[in-house]
Amino acid sequence: MSQTLAPTLGEATIQELREAVRGAVFAPGDEGYEDASRVWNGEHDDRSPAIVVQCTGAADVIAAVGFARSNDLSIAVRGGGHSIAGFSSVDDGIVIDLGRMNAVRVDPAARRATVGGGAVWGDVDHETQAYGLATTGGLVSSTGVAGFTLGGGIGWTMRKFGLACDNLVAADVVTADGRLVHTSETENPDLLWALRGGGGNFGIVTQFEFTLHPLPSPVYAGLMFYPAETAPELLRAFRDWSETAPDEITGLVNLTTAPPLPVIPEQWHGKKVAVFVAVSTGPLEEGDTLVAPFRKLGEPIADLLGPMPYTMMQSLLDPLWPKGIHAYFKACNLNGLDDATIERFCTMHLETPGPQCEIHIHQMGGAVGRVPADGTAFSERSMPYVMNAVTGWHEADQDVAQSHADWARAAVAAAGDAATGRAYVNFLSEAGAARSAYGEEKYARLAALKTQYDPTNVFRLNQNIAPE
Ligand code: FAD
């Protein structure tokens, strides 16, 4: 029973929602409300929603949207709760949480998976790998399929299989007016186009359908750690290698601080390191040849590249990014990695305000670049790299938060002329970035579709595309 009433809602009103849905409804004062209100990013974990509704199916989602509209409540939609910008929680509004809708069903003959709107990538990888299949998912297994895919979806298999949004072939969507709409290449194809990169602007996806690809486990994957002094050489080697690397392999360089893991020699714990990370979807026996240039860079601190279960690789970084950590990310797309840009990134690497300040350089290209620029809503495809300045810290402290955000902004500014001017919406901590992230032309097309599907901007807690 609710002891404290939400500011604008009486108990009788809340009771209407409790009766309308099969899932759980939490209001302030309810047992479980605090837990139900928590999101991944500790920086945004101080919000007090008027209601959290944990839906169990599309009917609950429709009821929740109707309830929100009747009571004039701001809607925060939650899939996995990993929004860096804190979009999946809201003060005094309603959180429509799909976390319980995490069922995954694989059709191995058709190579398709249907995935609930609240599943996380660990759920998908677990089920698809049972059949030796996979689709592009996130680098951390607790990231939600929904927010990830709707923003684009950068993952280890993208250069072979495409972005997550490229593998999205159909979806069921609850629209702002409470309809359940199916979209595919043949049904409401304009909506599918918008869902492939346009974020949560167009409705609440209750079910996704993805194309799957053969990916027998183990895969050739892992990390190589080098001292920070090797970072410029490593990045130059990474650039040269990226130009001809086959689509089978997707690589990343991470300029970071060595975590205290047993696989890293103890004397390196807490020291600045440059890490090459890669996953190959190709034959195991070709793995060593694919990464050979990185083994010529001198003695690594640790060489952990080799055969590894795919699901292990997909959850390897989980312990470093637990729920409740405070985080700020800022990113930009790069048109190249010239020596001067490399030097500036390496300087930023040595000037971090804390140990979890990382510069990620994602290798793009391959299947990502072959989709026509206007084929999906995803912002830009021709860039060879995406740079992400990722920061995390553990204490709720304004000064610490400020120093991390300042560093991430400076790291992105260090890209200088190497930045294309566009960015990947899912790697941005600041709201209001849609227009610059998508560019005018794509933004205009998205705004027209937003006007069609959500004319009063019911779904606005996202990188918002304003209706015209
Ligand atoms: P949520 O916070 O639940 O939602 C994020 C946004 O999606 C909100 O705007 C929300 O309204 C909308 N949304 C959520 N569910 C639905 C739904 N069912 N229907 C419609 N809209 C919905 N990105 C990458 O591309 N590659 C990575 O490897 C990667 N790694 C990450 C690792 C960590 C630890 C974190 C925190 C983030 C990472 N990201 C990565 C970024 C990630 O893609 C975004 O944070 C994404 O929004 C997370 O999705 P979610 O469902 O967990 O988020």
Side-chain angles (χ1 to χ4, degrees):
M1 246 336 241
S2 177
Q3 293 148 15
T4 315
L5 294 184
T8 54
L9 297 176
E11 180 54 39
T13 312
I14 297 172
Q15 189 58 27
E16 277 172 35
L17 182 64
R18 293 188 204 278
E19 284 168 14
V21 298
R22 291 265 172 106
V25 174
F26 298 93
D30 285 351
E31 196 181 338
Y33 168 83
E34 294 298 330
D35 247 17
S37 302
R38 299 281 71 85
V39 286
W40 178 84
N41 189 351
E43 274 304 276
H44 301 289
D45 219 8
D46 54 355
R47 312 244 167 99
S48 298
I51 298 269
V52 180
V53 51
Q54 294 177 341
C55 300
T56 60
D60 281 5
V61 175
I62 292 169
V65 169
F67 179 84
R69 295 200 67 175
S70 313
N71 292 285
D72 208 15
L73 294 172
S74 294
I75 297 176
V77 182
R78 188 177 302 163
H82 268 210
S83 167
I84 312 293
F87 291 136
S88 48
S89 196
V90 59
D91 276 325
D92 303 327
I94 184 169
V95 174
I96 303 181
D97 182 352
L98 280 77
R100 292 184 180 199
M101 296 167 58
N102 63 350
V104 177
R105 186 177 169 277
V106 177
D107 179 343
R111 291 196 181 152
R112 290 282 166 92
T114 48
V115 177
V120 298
W121 282 108
D123 300 324
V124 176
D125 292 335
H126 182 67
E127 295 300 328
T128 54
Q129 277 290 282
Y131 298 94
L133 298 169
T135 198
T136 301
L139 274 52
V140 169
S141 73
S142 52
T143 300
V145 170
F148 179 94
T149 303
L150 297 172
I154 289 180
W156 290 126
T157 59
M158 66 180 163
R159 286 172 29 81
K160 184 68 180 171
F161 303 156
L163 298 166
C165 70
D166 299 334
N167 289 287
L168 177 65
V169 289
D172 293 337
V173 186
V174 175
T175 52
D177 55 4
R179 285 179 301 136
L180 183 60
V181 174
H182 186 71
T183 174
S184 68
E185 294 282 4
T186 51
E187 252 179 284
N188 304 301
D190 55 348
L191 181 56
L192 185 65
W193 182 91
L195 296 183
R196 287 169 162 169
N201 277 284
F202 303 93
I204 303 180
V205 179
T206 56
Q207 186 160 278
F208 295 89
E209 188 176 339
F210 290 100
T211 300
L212 302 176
H213 310 267
L215 189 66
S217 199
V219 292
Y220 189 93
L223 308 86
M224 281 181 98
F225 290 77
Y226 289 95
E229 304 87 82
T230 312
E233 202 189 336
L234 172 63
L235 276 166
R236 287 194 297 270
F238 177 64
R239 174 192 62 201
D240 298 343
W241 170 86
S242 297
E243 282 166 14
T244 55
D247 296 355
E248 277 67 30
I249 194 157
T250 299
L252 173 148
V253 169
N254 182 3
L255 305 181
T256 185
T257 301
L261 298 176
V263 288
I264 303 168
E266 207 176 322
Q267 69 269 27
W268 284 98
H269 293 180
K271 302 259 168 52
K272 298 279 182 189
V273 289
V275 192
F276 171 67
V277 196
V279 173
S280 167
T281 57
L284 274 186
E285 57 278 14
E286 288 174 12
D288 282 332
T289 311
L290 288 176
V291 302
F294 298 97
R295 292 213 163 101
K296 293 185 190 140
L297 293 176
E299 193 60 27
I301 298 165
D303 181 348
L304 309 173
L305 275 164
M308 184 187 302
Y310 177 66
T311 49
M312 181 190 279
M313 185 65 205
Q314 288 291 88
S315 52
L316 209 60
L317 307 177
D318 290 9
L320 300 176
W321 298 100
K323 187 171 181 177
I325 195 172
H326 296 248
Y328 183 96
F329 292 12
K330 191 168 174 68
C332 66
N333 296 344
L334 299 177
N335 53 33
L337 263 180
D338 58 89
D339 289 354
T341 306
I342 287 175
E343 288 301 330
R344 291 194 299 275
F345 286 158
C346 291
T347 303
M348 290 307 302
H349 176 213
L350 301 178
E351 295 173 356
T352 62
Q356 271 185 279
C357 294
E358 310 189 328
I359 294 177
H360 295 184
I361 310 288
H362 292 265
Q363 178 199 10
M364 305 301 288
V368 178
R370 280 196 294 277
V371 174
D374 62 356
T376 68
F378 186 68
S379 54
E380 187 178 37
R381 288 183 177 271
S382 56
M383 66 288 183
Y385 308 100
V386 164
M387 181 265 193
N388 191 7
V390 172
T391 73
W393 62 99
H394 291 274
E395 59 280 62
D397 180 313
Q398 232 2 78
D399 293 340
V400 176
Q402 191 63 50
S403 66
H404 282 68
D406 287 348
W407 178 83
R409 290 185 196 120
V412 169
D417 290 343
T420 68
R422 304 271 171 271
Y424 171 37
V425 284
N426 277 353
F427 285 165
L428 302 174
S429 285
E430 314 284 351
R435 194 179 281 276
S436 65
Y438 290 106
E440 286 303 328
E441 202 178 318
K442 198 156 266 189
Y443 186 87
R445 186 166 169 189
L446 284 162
L449 287 165
K450 176 76 174 178
T451 311
Q452 184 183 335
Y453 283 99
D454 183 12
T456 58
N457 212 1
V458 168
F459 303 115
R460 59 181 174 276
L461 288 177
N462 40 47
Q463 286 300 351
N464 195 233
I465 294 155
E468 288 164 334

